[in-house]
Amino acid sequence: AQSVTQLDSQVPVFEEAPVELRCNYSSSVSVYLFWYVQYPNQGLQLLLKYLSGSTLVESINGFEAEFNKSQTSFHLRKPSVHISDTAEYFCAVSVIGGTSYGKLTFGQGTILTVHP
Amino acid sequence: DAGVIQSPRHEVTEMGQEVTLRCKPISGHNSLFWYRQTMMRGLELLIYFNNNVPIDDSGMPEDRFSAKMPNASFSTLKIQPSEPRDSAVYFCASSRDWQPQHFGDGTRLSIL
């Protein structure tokens, strides 16, 4: 079985400050890794994904995450946040292959609040 | 392209009534997932289908919940009878093979 731990339930930061949202996972098999973002009263949107290749992945709005296999981590970072980044962020994993068909295991979420 | 479409967006009903939530996945996607989100439990996977066949329903809380996928473009989640503790936001998501899931905007369900 897989599990995902997001180490911070809430992260308050000031606008233009850097931020890191931490995610650790546990799995006995190879996994794909994802970050989703949820804005108020909306569904989850894919922010970025790691499937293979370069361990550093980037989103179109300045977020990046690095897959660290030895530490089983997939932390999300942004060097300078905006008010509009205020949302809840979910880390998730899915097992590669088998009969999981892309089933996701989610962390509990981290609420990022950006203050002016 | 149209995303995952859920209806209704909001549902308020009295305890004991039957509730039916609907989902239209993205065309061409062959997996469909139903989730429930609450403050207390976070995001829970209830059931998922592949090629219209239920694969894992171990997340369905009890027999009052049932889900069907009669064809590739439609799925329902039914609660009968409904209880106040079923109040939550219910999400549907779809994907193709092992590609990332795409989520609908959810149905906010309130059981009085």
Side-chain angles (χ1 to χ4, degrees):
Chain A
Q2 297 71 47
S3 66
V4 178
T5 302
Q6 292 183 239
L7 296 158
D8 307 293
S9 59
Q10 298 191 48
V11 174
V13 295
F14 287 106
E15 194 173 18
E16 298 183 5
V19 70
E20 179 180 78
L21 307 185
R22 296 179 293 168
C23 172
N24 287 94
Y25 70 93
S26 173
S27 177
S28 57
V29 298
S30 296
V31 295
Y32 293 140
L33 296 150
F34 307 89
W35 277 99
Y36 281 84
V37 59
Q38 184 178 29
Y39 299 102
N41 299 315
Q42 294 186 26
L44 279 72
Q45 302 173 28
L46 180 67
L47 186 60
L48 45 76
K49 62 187 178 186
Y50 173 77
L51 304 181
S52 65
S54 173
T55 57
L56 183 66
V57 291
E58 299 177 353
S59 72
I60 58 173
N61 57 353
F63 283 94
E64 64 178 30
E66 185 160 21
F67 169 51
N68 188 318
K69 188 174 183 179
S70 63
Q71 297 187 7
T72 60
S73 68
F74 192 53
H75 301 330
L76 182 69
R77 302 184 182 96
K78 188 169 185 180
S80 176
V81 294
H82 302 288
I83 297 287
S84 59
D85 293 324
T86 294
E88 188 162 15
Y89 293 79
F90 293 90
C91 182
V93 301
S94 69
V95 171
I96 298 172
T99 58
S100 67
Y101 300 108
K103 171 186 172 182
L104 290 171
T105 300
F106 283 95
Q108 284 298 100
T110 297
I111 297 173
L112 173 65
T113 304
V114 181
H115 298 284
Chain B
D1 287 342
V4 176
I5 300 172
Q6 293 187 244
S7 63
R9 287 297 312 277
H10 303 273
E11 175 87 13
V12 180
T13 192
E14 292 187 348
M15 181 175 65
Q17 296 298 308
E18 178 180 290
V19 173
T20 300
L21 311 182
R22 297 173 176 80
C23 175
K24 177 179 171 56
I26 293 173
S27 177
H29 284 193
N30 56 0
S31 292
L32 183 140
F33 303 81
W34 281 102
Y35 294 88
R36 178 172 69 177
Q37 187 178 37
T38 61
M39 290 291 291
M40 293 297 293
R41 294 175 173 263
L43 201 59
E44 303 173 276
L45 176 64
L46 301 178
I47 185 171
Y48 67 101
F49 298 82
N50 181 260
N51 292 326
N52 312 336
V53 176
I55 302 300
D56 183 353
D57 65 355
S58 60
M60 296 286 262
E62 46 196 281
D63 291 346
R64 298 184 296 106
F65 286 69
S66 63
K68 294 182 179 180
M69 192 164 187
N71 57 62
S73 59
F74 184 66
S75 177
T76 59
L77 178 68
K78 188 173 293 187
I79 308 173
Q80 167 64 18
S82 58
E83 297 182 4
R85 60 195 168 115
D86 302 330
S87 297
V89 182
Y90 291 80
F91 289 104
C92 176
S94 70
S95 67
R96 178 160 185 81
D97 299 326
W98 281 269
Q99 294 301 310
Q101 294 178 23
H102 295 256
F103 283 74
D105 285 335
T107 294
R108 186 172 298 273
L109 178 63
S110 297
I111 309 296
L112 306 177

